[in-house]
């Protein structure tokens, strides 16, 4: 059996979105893939600190996280790049001038920093665990690294930001926009280079719009049955819903594990 390099998205692919828990058949399939000699890796937009515990639970020791900017091999974080500093600072300054609230992540943690409290006034606190630091004496230039930017701009008004497309962005909630790396395909390519694999042997599993960038023609792209239509249109193969054992079904269909 030819070795495959298999990359899994997390939310909606490996996990049930209602519970946040890994699908039992997916966890069993991961173990079987590894036993059969395949390389198994997570590919996610999540920050590394949000991914490592899940990876451990899933039995996976290789991770592409932070939207492709962070690589972990054998549970060792090898790199984790921040956003382009000049572009990040310019975007923050424009948003600030237009009155939008801003919080930024300056490292890989739950901590966020603010130069004013407009973000909290405009949209409130984030739903995920977060520690807030208000530093009124600082400007965005003072922060050496910026990993993520959260701007309290609605979808209706986001085009008011002329620098909107200068950085990757995604809207997880209606009240604010998240700017982060959006290059999972490049992270996969770097991972393959580091582990000595071949791009034609790459397999990716995904379900949502932020997985579109990693659905590349040079490798096998598998969309979950619960995936968005745009992803299904780019897919090599559409499997069953994730909660209906879609990962197991696809891996059996292609012969990577036994039926």
């Amino acid at each position: 059996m030819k070795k495959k390099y298999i990359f899994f998205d997390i939310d909606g692919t490996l996990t049930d979105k209602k519970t946040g828990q890994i699908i039992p058949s997916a966890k069993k399939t991961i173990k079987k893939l590894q036993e059969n000699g395949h390389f198994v890796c997570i590919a996610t937009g999540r920050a590394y600190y949000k991914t490592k515990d899940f990876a451990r639970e899933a039995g996976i020791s290789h991770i592409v996280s932070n939207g492709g900017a962070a690589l972990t091999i054998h549970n060792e974080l090898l790199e984790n790049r921040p956003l382009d500093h000049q572009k990040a600072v310019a975007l923050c300054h424009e948003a600030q001038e237009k009155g939008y609230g801003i919080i930024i992540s300056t490292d890989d943690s739950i901590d966020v920093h603010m130069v004013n409290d407009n973000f909290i006034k405009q949209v409130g606190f984030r739903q995920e665990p977060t520690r807030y630091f208000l530093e009124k004496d600082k400007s965005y230039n003072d922060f050496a690294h910026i990993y993520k930017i959260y701007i309290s701009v609605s979808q209706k008004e986001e085009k008011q930001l002329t620098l909107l497309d200068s950085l990757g962005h995604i809207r997880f909630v209606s009240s604010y926009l998240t700017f982060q790396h959006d290059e999972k395909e490049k992270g996969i390519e770097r991972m393959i280079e580091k582990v000595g694999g071949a791009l034609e042997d790459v397999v990716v599993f995904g379900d949502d719009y932020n997985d579109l960038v990693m659905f590349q023609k040079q490798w096998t792209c598998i969309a979950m049955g619960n995936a968005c239509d745009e992803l299904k249109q780019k897919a090599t193969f559409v499997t069953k819903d994730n909660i209906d054992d879609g990962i197991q079904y696809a891996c059996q269909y292609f012969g990577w594990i036994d039926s």
Side-chain angles (χ1 to χ4, degrees), residues 126-144:
R126 298 170 69 214
Q127 295 179 358
E128 57 191 278
T130 307
R131 281 193 307 190
Y132 299 86
F133 293 86
L134 179 58
E135 300 176 84
K136 293 184 177 180
D137 59 334
K138 287 191 175 182
S139 73
Y140 297 105
N141 285 303
D142 295 329
F143 298 99

Side-chain angles (χ1 to χ4, degrees), residues 85-101:
H85 193 261
Q86 184 175 356
K87 292 179 180 179
V89 169
L91 174 64
C92 289
H93 282 159
E94 182 187 20
Q96 184 180 33
E97 289 170 3
K98 294 185 175 179
Y100 298 115

Side-chain angles (χ1 to χ4, degrees), residues 69-100:
L71 298 185
T72 301
I73 299 178
H74 295 303
N75 297 316
E76 180 183 357
L77 181 63
L78 301 181
E79 60 182 75
N80 193 0
R81 292 182 293 105
L83 294 170
D84 180 287
H85 193 261
Q86 184 175 356
K87 292 179 180 179
V89 169
L91 174 64
C92 289
H93 282 159
E94 182 187 20
Q96 184 180 33
E97 289 170 3
K98 294 185 175 179
Y100 298 115

Side-chain angles (χ1 to χ4, degrees), residues 15-142:
T15 66
D16 182 341
K17 282 191 172 181
K18 291 183 179 180
T19 66
Q21 301 299 309
I22 188 169
I23 307 297
S25 63
K27 188 170 183 177
K28 292 178 182 177
T29 298
I30 287 167
K31 185 177 181 181
K32 289 180 181 179
L33 288 168
Q34 293 167 334
E35 289 172 348
N36 287 347
H38 301 295
F39 178 90
V40 178
C41 185
I42 285 173
T44 180
R46 288 189 188 187
Y48 171 67
Y49 83 90
K50 291 183 182 178
T51 308
K52 58 183 180 180
D53 290 341
F54 175 83
R56 189 178 301 110
E57 177 193 353
I60 299 174
S61 59
H62 312 297
I63 307 169
V64 174
S65 57
N66 192 17
L71 298 185
T72 301
I73 299 178
H74 295 303
N75 297 316
E76 180 183 357
L77 181 63
L78 301 181
E79 60 182 75
N80 193 0
R81 292 182 293 105
L83 294 170
D84 180 287
H85 193 261
Q86 184 175 356
K87 292 179 180 179
V89 169
L91 174 64
C92 289
H93 282 159
E94 182 187 20
Q96 184 180 33
E97 289 170 3
K98 294 185 175 179
Y100 298 115
I102 306 157
I103 56 177
I104 61 173
S105 298
T106 63
D107 58 14
D108 186 79
S109 75
I110 67 171
D111 297 342
V112 297
H113 297 260
M114 310 174 289
V115 300
N116 57 52
D117 59 357
N118 286 346
F119 184 93
I120 295 174
K121 287 179 178 178
Q122 291 169 7
V123 301
F125 294 102
R126 298 170 69 214
Q127 295 179 358
E128 57 191 278
T130 307
R131 281 193 307 190
Y132 299 86
F133 293 86
L134 179 58
E135 300 176 84
K136 293 184 177 180
D137 59 334
K138 287 191 175 182
S139 73
Y140 297 105
N141 285 303
D142 295 329

